[in-house]
Amino acid sequence: NAGVTQTPKFRVLKTGQSMTLLCAQDMNHEYMYWYRQDPGMGLRLIHYSVGEGTTAKGEVPDGYNVSRLKKQNFLLGLESAAPSQTSVYFCASSPTWDAYGYTFGSGTRLTVV
Amino acid sequence: GQQLNQSPQSMFIQEGEDVSMNCTSSSIFNTWLWYKQDPGEGPVLLIALYKAGELTSNGRLTAQFGITRKDSFLNISASIPSDVGIYFCAGQRLQGGSEKLVFGKGTKLTVNP
């Protein structure tokens, strides 16, 4: 019963490098989300998906791309990392739109130097 | 984007004291939620409120959904050291398929034994 698993847990990138963050859920949830958390800013939605093969932009989508090729996986890509993307990234999933059902992963701490 | 004003930003209290924090918004929400985040972990749901005026308790935690649907508060009674963490409010508004969560900026709670 892993819930929501994020990999990696930590990563340091150089400006301009690319990387992909992986989120995997084993609860058969339809909805998946990527948030970023910055000090004093709370959580802000980057992209989300309401089902396999679908993605949509959230509040702060610029500089990120996502894919949901399989229902259980939601990938967040940074094509050309910038220092402004230094943050803690959280993935979440839910069975329906109801926020009561959100389950969060434990986060990926990304530093871009 | 939508804004939730959460206060206070931080609190330093003695073990055994009661704690109160609140969230306000200029927008109406259908659901208010309160989360706790422990260091190095993702947010975990504490209480969900679905009805204006609703008062809900979960152990030493009590939360209320404001009558105007634009605010909510969370009280913690008789605080203990394990209450330490960041508490987030979140609101969800039904928007016909766009029911995303909006988070407050968090209240960091420190409990001195």
Side-chain angles (χ1 to χ4, degrees):
Chain A
N1 54 342
V4 177
T5 303
Q6 291 184 234
T7 52
K9 291 192 182 301
F10 304 93
R11 185 72 186 270
V12 178
L13 282 181
K14 293 184 179 178
T15 297
Q17 284 185 319
S18 63
M19 80 162 293
T20 300
L21 282 66
L22 172 63
C23 177
Q25 53 96 2
D26 60 2
M27 297 170 285
N28 201 35
H29 284 175
E30 289 292 336
Y31 292 61
M32 297 188 75
Y33 314 84
W34 275 107
Y35 289 87
R36 61 177 288 174
Q37 183 179 29
D38 301 296
M41 293 294 293
L43 281 84
R44 292 182 293 170
L45 183 64
I46 305 171
H47 285 281
Y48 65 101
S49 168
V50 300
E52 181 179 319
T54 74
T55 63
K57 294 180 180 180
E59 181 185 354
V60 287
D62 294 342
Y64 305 95
N65 56 75
V66 287
S67 64
R68 184 105 181 263
L69 298 179
K70 292 183 179 180
K71 185 177 184 178
Q72 62 267 35
N73 296 335
F74 195 28
L75 279 63
L76 178 71
L78 286 74
E79 288 188 353
S80 180
S84 61
Q85 293 178 303
T86 293
S87 188
V88 181
Y89 292 86
F90 286 100
C91 176
S93 71
S94 63
T96 69
W97 55 264
D98 191 342
Y100 183 84
Y102 278 42
T103 300
F104 283 86
S106 57
T108 295
R109 184 174 292 276
L110 175 66
T111 303
V112 183
V113 298
Chain B
Q2 298 177 59
Q3 294 278 334
L4 289 187
N5 301 308
Q6 185 172 352
S7 63
Q9 275 189 306
S10 61
M11 302 183 74
F12 297 84
I13 62 171
Q14 293 297 125
E15 183 177 357
E17 289 184 353
D18 296 343
V19 172
S20 184
M21 57 192 80
N22 69 81
C23 238
T24 61
S25 173
S26 57
S27 303
I28 289 173
F29 287 100
N30 299 97
T31 305
W32 281 93
L33 307 104
W34 286 91
Y35 291 85
K36 183 192 178 196
Q37 184 180 27
D38 291 323
E41 298 294 331
V44 173
L45 182 65
L46 298 173
I47 291 179
L49 303 153
Y50 291 95
K51 194 174 175 182
E54 179 181 358
L55 184 71
T56 297
S57 293
N58 180 5
R60 294 178 296 106
L61 277 60
T62 302
Q64 185 158 29
F65 190 147
I67 288 290
T68 64
R69 295 164 67 192
K70 294 182 178 180
D71 62 309
S72 177
F73 72 75
L74 175 70
N75 287 343
I76 305 173
S77 63
S79 59
I80 58 178
S82 62
D83 289 335
V84 165
I86 303 177
Y87 292 80
F88 290 100
C89 63
Q92 188 175 42
R93 190 155 58 108
L94 299 180
Q95 290 180 270
S98 182
E99 296 84 2
K100 299 178 288 295
L101 278 187
V102 178
F103 284 85
K105 295 183 178 181
T107 296
K108 186 174 183 179
L109 179 64
T110 302
V111 180
N112 296 315

